[in-house]
């Protein structure tokens, strides 16, 4: 079997085959760095990360490029409001975005910043103008002439032939030959950031930056282009028009779009009070691993309805996986092997792979691993799991984690970093008790905890229950849960 993906361009699920052997060249539209990233943004970035990780697991070499939009109307407006330069304004949010992505174990793509590619954009626009696809307005802005590109609409399946002439495609308020035409280059306005270039002063439109940077990094035609579904039109439609008009060749073969996330059944919006950045959730005490697990749990083309109940369940699921791994890695099992366990590991691995190959059905992959955990735990409880069975089960779990990336217990330091940020930003009032508990748990190292547990066990064996209870209470206060099991004492951070 091979990976099958839905391609927005063909409107079909197709087998994914890269242009060149096992090299995948992919581009994902990145953040506009004018504010902190919200969970809707991270829904899409986690979906792209899952794709990237699964491609690698399927033995493709992946060259993954992502832009950082560090100039646009909102950025210019906000920088002016705060009385800082555009670069200074965006540097803060770019850093925050990269930190948040790292907290969610999103692997960092090759980054391309719009403001580092302005001369190339000017050159691209000049070439479009030379070919008759672009024209200069009186004020020095440039527009793309949609009427010259009959394939316009092929991605979004909009019928522009029938569209009435004055219907608006773009919201820019500049003079154009046809209201549908979109801006490639915006003439400077007083007080706004602008660049001197070969086509005159101004700044690029949003669409041109992705055409220029993707082709520069990946070539005129590449394998896959990704983003949230809101980008299909006009952003990606415009990217196709610009790029294909310039080269006369197909731009990207596959178009991958993640469905928009809802929060408690509604569109996320500041006015509804259901708008959450990643940092908002961590300040409430939620772990980055729970958030990643939840964001990855619904296949990217299905609507993910983010709820706090769902987030709690995700935390429980991650705990179950971590506990299972610890139990497998640390328990004493009877010698030998139980063939049913090796079979269970193998079958679960195959189910996971089949799910992922089916247009990245992450829900099926998760179901497969939890079925395995349930069956293996039952075998451990009844003494049916033998020493040699641990390795294949652990290997299946590792394969799962190559995609889902939630097993490593490193939430506490990430949460501490966000706590420090909140203090620096004067947002202590938003810090919850749950966050403080999670951070406190970090202050004891693993070795400290093991030592304390050994002392507690020793006290218990000596029937000094007062001391053993005191140690347990001390651990609990530091956010460490201690459990007595048949195999001895296990612990985990709350
Ligand atoms: P932006 O920073 O607004 O340019 O968006 C960055 C990425 O997040 C784009 O791929 C958007 O499509 C995506 N995005 C924005 N809101 C949501 C949402 N509610 N659900 C899923 N993806 C989103
Ligand atoms: Zn883009």
């Amino acid at each position: 079997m091979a990976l099958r993906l839905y391609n927005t361009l063909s409107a079909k699920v197709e087998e994914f085959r890269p242009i060149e052997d096992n090299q995948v060249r992919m581009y994902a539209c990145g953040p506009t760095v004018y504010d902190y990233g919200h969970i809707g943004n991270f829904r899409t970035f986690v979906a792209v990360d899952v794709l990237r990780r699964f491609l690698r697991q399927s033995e493709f070499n992946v060259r993954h490029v992502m832009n950082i939009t560090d100039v646009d109307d909102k950025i210019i407006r906000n920088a002016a409001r705060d009385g800082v330069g555009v670069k200074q304004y965006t540097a803060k949010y770019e850093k925050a975005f990269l930190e948040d992505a790292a907290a969610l174990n999103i692997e960092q793509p090759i980054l391309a910043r719009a403001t580092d590619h302005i001369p190339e954009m000017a050159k691209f626009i000049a070439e479009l103008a030379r070919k008759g696809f672009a024209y200069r307005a009186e004020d020095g802005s440039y527009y793309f002439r949609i009427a010259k590109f009959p394939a316009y609409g092929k991605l979004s399946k909009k019928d522009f032939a029938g569209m009435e002439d004055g219907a608006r495609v773009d919201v820019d308020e500049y003079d154009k030959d046809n209201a549908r035409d979109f801006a490639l280059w915006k003439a400077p306005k007083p007080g706004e950031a602008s660049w001197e270039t070969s086509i005159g002063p101004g700044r690029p439109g949003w669409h041109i930056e992705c055409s220029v940077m993707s082709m520069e990094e990946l070539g005129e035609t590449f394998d896959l282009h990704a983003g949230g579904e809101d980008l299909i039109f006009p952003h990606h439609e415009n990217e196709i028009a610009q790029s294909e008009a310039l080269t006369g060749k197909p731009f990207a073969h596959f178009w991958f779009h993640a469905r928009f996330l809802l929060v408690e059944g509604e569109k996320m919006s500041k006015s509804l009070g259901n708008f959450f950045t990643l940092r908002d959730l961590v300040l409430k005490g939620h772990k980055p691993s729970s958030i990643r697990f939840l964001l990855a749990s619904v296949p990217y083309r299905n609507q993910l309805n983010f709820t706090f109940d769902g987030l709690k369940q995700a935390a429980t699921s991650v705990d179950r996986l971590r506990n299972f791994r610890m139990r497998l890695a640390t328990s004493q099992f009877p010698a030998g092997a139980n063939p049913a366990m090796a079979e269970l590991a193998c079958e679960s691995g195959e189910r996971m792979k089949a799910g992922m190959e089916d247009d990245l059905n992450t829900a099926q992959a998760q179901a497969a691993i939890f079925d395995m955990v349930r069956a293996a735990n039952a075998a451990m409880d009844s003494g049916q799991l033998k020493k040699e069975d641990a390795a294949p089960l652990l290997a299946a779990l590792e394969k799962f984690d190559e995609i889902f990336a939630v097993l490593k217990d490193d939430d506490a330091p990430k949460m501490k970093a966000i706590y420090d940020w909140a203090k620096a930003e004067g947002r202590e009032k938003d810090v919850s008790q749950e966050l403080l508990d999670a951070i406190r748990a970090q202050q004891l190292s693993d070795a400290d905890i093991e030592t304390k547990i050994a002392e507690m066990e020793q006290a218990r064996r000596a029937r000094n229950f007062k001391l053993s209870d005191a140690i347990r209470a001390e651990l609990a206060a530091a956010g460490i849960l201690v459990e007595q099991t048949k195999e001895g004492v296990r612990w985990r951070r709350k």
Side-chain angles (χ1 to χ4, degrees):
M1 285 301 271
L3 172 60
R4 278 157 295 126
L5 284 180
Y6 182 80
N7 184 351
T8 309
L9 186 57
S10 66
K12 283 200 287 268
V13 176
E14 292 176 49
E15 183 177 329
F16 177 76
R17 270 205 225 101
I19 298 160
E20 205 185 308
D21 306 325
N22 69 335
Q23 302 291 326
V24 176
R25 287 174 288 153
M26 64 186 244
Y27 183 88
C29 292
T32 306
V33 283
Y34 71 98
D35 206 342
Y36 295 102
H38 58 68
I39 52 174
N41 300 139
F42 288 111
R43 159 68 166 157
T44 291
F45 294 121
V46 166
V48 173
D49 186 61
V50 163
L51 168 67
R52 167 195 169 113
R53 285 166 176 268
F54 186 65
L55 286 169
R56 202 176 47 223
Q57 191 173 77
S58 309
E59 293 178 9
F60 289 111
N61 284 326
V62 181
R63 182 171 168 82
H64 172 194
V65 176
M66 183 181 83
N67 65 301
I68 303 266
T69 300
D70 58 356
V71 53
D72 87 333
D73 294 342
K74 282 182 289 249
I75 289 172
I76 289 173
R77 200 188 325 121
N78 291 4
R81 178 199 63 200
D82 295 357
V84 295
V86 163
K87 193 94 204 156
Q88 190 185 347
Y89 183 81
T90 56
K92 171 176 168 178
Y93 292 106
E94 178 184 316
K95 180 168 172 282
F97 172 80
L98 295 176
E99 286 167 0
D100 291 352
L104 290 173
N105 289 348
I106 293 172
E107 293 180 333
Q108 189 174 310
I110 298 163
L111 300 178
R113 280 175 204 89
T115 56
D116 291 337
H117 294 78
I118 307 272
E120 296 91 316
M121 294 181 207
K123 201 167 143 225
F124 193 114
I125 294 166
E127 190 59 17
L128 282 177
R130 201 182 61 76
K131 293 189 167 184
F133 289 103
Y135 59 91
R136 187 175 187 278
E138 230 165 75
D139 67 348
S141 298
Y142 280 78
Y143 293 94
F144 187 90
R145 194 185 300 283
I146 290 181
K148 265 282 274 184
F149 189 76
Y152 194 77
K154 68 177 173 177
L155 182 71
S156 54
K157 323 293 178 223
K158 288 187 194 287
D159 180 8
F160 288 92
M163 196 164 163
E164 75 184 87
D165 224 29
R168 297 190 70 89
V169 166
D170 214 327
V171 291
D172 302 303
E173 292 158 17
Y174 295 80
D175 68 309
K176 4 182 166 177
D177 289 359
N178 185 317
R180 294 177 355 192
D181 292 348
F182 60 88
L184 296 162
W185 185 257
K186 300 180 182 186
K189 285 194 191 153
E192 286 190 348
S194 76
W195 284 260
E196 282 301 330
T197 69
S198 59
I199 57 168
R203 63 191 168 92
W206 171 37
H207 317 302
I208 196 73
E209 69 173 82
C210 285
S211 280
V212 169
M213 296 193 292
S214 61
M215 285 161 62
E216 205 166 286
E217 294 285 346
L218 301 171
E220 291 177 340
T221 301
F222 54 90
D223 298 301
L224 184 142
H225 194 124
E229 64 173 344
D230 60 319
L231 301 188
I232 297 172
F233 185 83
H235 184 52
H236 289 163
E237 197 70 64
N238 291 352
E239 283 189 46
I240 291 175
Q242 295 161 159
S243 300
E244 298 190 355
L246 188 91
T247 66
K249 295 177 191 159
F251 178 43
H253 281 185
F254 269 80
W255 287 85
F256 174 99
H257 292 105
R259 186 98 188 260
F260 248 40
L261 154 149
L262 298 180
V263 174
E264 308 278 358
E266 301 208 67
K267 201 168 169 231
M268 188 164 66
S269 82
K270 285 192 174 149
S271 58
L272 286 177
N274 65 355
F275 180 96
F276 299 108
T277 65
L278 176 76
R279 291 171 188 232
D280 292 335
L281 295 183
V282 172
L283 290 179
K284 287 176 186 294
H286 299 287
K287 295 177 178 178
S289 60
S290 326
I291 300 166
R292 177 177 172 101
F293 192 86
L294 178 60
L295 293 180
S297 64
V298 172
Y300 74 97
R301 279 208 299 140
N302 294 359
Q303 191 136 49
L304 168 63
N305 182 22
F306 178 95
T307 65
F308 283 95
D309 277 348
L311 189 53
K312 265 193 225 128
Q313 279 168 31
T316 309
S317 298
V318 172
D319 276 349
R320 200 181 313 147
L321 293 175
R322 289 178 180 175
N323 287 339
F324 175 72
R325 182 163 72 168
M326 184 151 73
R327 188 176 182 194
L328 264 186
T330 59
S331 305
Q332 296 297 324
F333 300 114
N338 173 357
M341 288 296 110
E343 206 173 295
L344 173 68
C346 178
E347 211 180 88
S348 309
E350 274 164 16
R351 258 181 79 198
M352 264 190 300
K353 180 159 179 258
M356 294 303 288
E357 285 185 336
D358 179 13
D359 201 18
L360 305 182
N361 189 339
T362 48
Q364 184 178 324
Q366 292 188 350
I369 206 74
F370 282 105
D371 286 347
M372 182 185 94
V373 169
R374 203 171 306 119
N377 269 328
M380 283 192 262
D381 292 343
S382 63
Q384 300 294 302
L385 194 142
K386 306 287 165 60
K387 219 179 202 119
E388 288 166 35
D389 301 332
L393 291 167
L394 282 169
L397 199 57
E398 288 308 322
K399 265 240 141 36
F400 173 86
D401 205 49
E402 281 174 20
I403 311 292
F404 291 93
V406 292
L407 282 180
K408 191 167 171 213
D409 190 357
D410 59 356
D411 291 299
K414 292 169 175 175
M415 295 168 91
K416 170 77 165 53
I418 289 179
Y419 170 74
D420 290 341
W421 160 81
K423 277 203 307 194
E425 292 277 315
R427 285 189 59 179
E428 275 109 329
K429 64 172 189 351
D430 298 330
V431 174
S432 63
Q433 188 56 43
E434 289 79 4
L435 176 63
L436 294 175
D437 289 346
I439 292 168
R440 239 196 349 243
Q442 180 211 219
Q443 286 161 355
L444 288 177
S445 71
D446 287 9
D448 292 340
I449 297 167
E450 303 282 355
T451 309
K452 286 204 183 296
I453 288 177
E455 283 166 13
M456 184 181 84
E457 285 296 278
Q458 209 176 0
R460 208 164 55 88
R461 277 194 297 272
R463 307 193 69 76
N464 183 351
F465 297 118
K466 210 170 151 199
L467 179 59
S468 69
D469 285 351
I471 298 174
R472 181 188 291 273
E474 185 190 339
L475 287 166
I480 311 296
L481 287 182
V482 179
E483 290 167 344
Q484 297 288 344
T485 71
K486 273 188 254 165
E487 287 80 27
V489 180
R490 284 212 307 263
W491 63 266
R492 62 186 173 85
R493 299 178 201 277
K494 249 204 301 202

